[in-house]
């Protein structure tokens, strides 16, 4: 009895342990299901961003290449920017989708080195292309006559080459001190132990180009405003007159002078006569007011475009480069999820660039719509 008495109290304990284990298993399964659902949703969103970046930049390149009107040195720089952003979407973003979702590197040391180098090079080149475009526009607006002679495809190619040389010089140093690890690689990131390289890379890839962009676009805005104001007429009283024929018009409005013109056509006495009356509507407007209105509209559009360009660039890249400097000096401040968010926010600039730099150009929009209609007709004919 003592033996059975000792055995019986232990039975409820085993039952309780089994129930606790079953609850733990069910909660673990629920958490695992939520984690899988989160990973799938994240992968879909990031993949859509990658695909949209690829398509938008590919359309920019195709539109410029198919339209002779757009094949100018200025648009050559925009096409080169689109090529750079296209490389970001092809070489960098797809691998980053996988790494962001599973948070474990499974592609080995060599792919890690190539991916990091491509990431730094292409993203830096994209940022430097913005500086090249701003510099080209600054010279074009401040020295229009002389720079129009120098603004050649060869000069544009030289500016693009300089941007790529600087980008490569920023991405190369980590390759010299990066060592091949004997154990299996589970993470792939730039070593932040070299604080001097972190300062060199962040200032060379972002802070100095950003300062240059702010100065250049500020000067562009000031010079453009001066030119617009100079083009406004000083004399008042010059009138613009337009006239069109109106039938059966009841009269005129306050800002319109209506001239009545009667015309009588006399037919033979046998058939009688008929008369018809028409009105000529003459509209008079002040040329000064009209030109001021157009100039104000141009100024607002230029201000809006410059604000969008600088605003989108700074919003996309500033958090990443600030956080990179913070992590280099404070290892405990590193949060993987926050770093991934800032990284993809920077990649998003490669999607925004083709929209800003091309949709603000009326000639480009017309060429783009023409290309889309041409592709649709080609597919219809094939069917």
């Amino acid at each position: 009895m003592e033996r059975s008495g000792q055995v019986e109290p232990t039975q409820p304990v085993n039952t309780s342990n089994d129930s606790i284990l079953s609850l733990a298993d069910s909660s673990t399964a629920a958490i695992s299901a939520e984690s899988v659902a989160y990973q799938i949703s994240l992968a879909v969103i990031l993949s859509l961003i990658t695909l949209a970046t690829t398509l938008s930049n590919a359309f920019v390149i195709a539109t410029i290449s198919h339209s002779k009107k757009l094949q100018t040195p200025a648009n050559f720089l925009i096409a080169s920017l689109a090529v750079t952003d296209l490389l970001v979407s092809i070489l960098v973003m797809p691998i980053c989708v996988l790494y962001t979702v599973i948070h474990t590197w499974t592609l080995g040391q060599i792919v890690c080195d190539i991916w990091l180098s491509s990431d730094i090079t292409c993203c830096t080149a994209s940022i430097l292309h913005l500086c090249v475009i701003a510099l080209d526009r600054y010279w074009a607006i401040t020295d229009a006559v002389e720079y129009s002679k120098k603004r050649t495809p060869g000069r544009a190619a030289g500016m693009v080459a300089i941007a790529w040389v600087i980008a490569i010089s920023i991405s190369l140093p980590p390759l010299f001190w990066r060592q091949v690890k004997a154990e299996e690689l589970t993470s792939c990131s730039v070593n932040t132990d070299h604080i001097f390289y972190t300062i060199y890379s962040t200032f060379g890839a972002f802070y100095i180009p950003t300062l240059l962009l702010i100065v250049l676009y500020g000067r562009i805005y000031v010079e453009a405003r001066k030119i617009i104001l100079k083009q406004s007429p000083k004399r008042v009283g010059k009138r613009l007159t337009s006239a069109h024929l109106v039938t059966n018009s009841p009269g005129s409005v306050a800002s319109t002078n209506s001239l009545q013109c009667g015309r009588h056509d006399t037919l033979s006495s046998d058939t009688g006569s008929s008369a018809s009356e028409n009105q000529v509507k003459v509209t008079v407007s002040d040329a000064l007011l009209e030109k001021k209105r157009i100039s104000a509209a141009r100024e607002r559009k230029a201000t809006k475009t410059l604000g969008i360009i600088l605003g989108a660039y700074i919003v996309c890249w500033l958090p990443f480069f600030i956080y990179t400097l913070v992590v280099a000096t404070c290892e405990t401040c590193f949060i993987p999820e926050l770093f991934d968010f800032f990284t993809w926010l920077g990649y998003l600039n490669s999607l925004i660039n083709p929209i800003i730099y091309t949709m603000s150009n009326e000639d480009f929009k017309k060429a783009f719509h023409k290309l889309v209609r041409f592709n649709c007709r080609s597919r219809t004919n094939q069917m």
Side-chain angles (χ1 to χ4, degrees), residues 293-308:
R293 184 186 66 80
I294 296 173
S295 297
R298 287 176 180 174
E299 186 174 335
R300 284 195 300 269
K301 185 177 181 180
T303 305
K304 183 178 179 180
T305 302
L306 294 180
I308 292 174

Side-chain angles (χ1 to χ4, degrees), residues 131-153:
C131 296
V132 168
I133 293 172
L135 196 60
D136 175 75
R137 290 183 175 181
Y138 172 73
W139 285 333
I141 200 171
T142 57
D143 191 15
V145 177
E146 292 297 324
Y147 187 62
S148 62
K149 303 175 184 177
K150 304 175 184 177
R151 203 179 195 183
T152 61

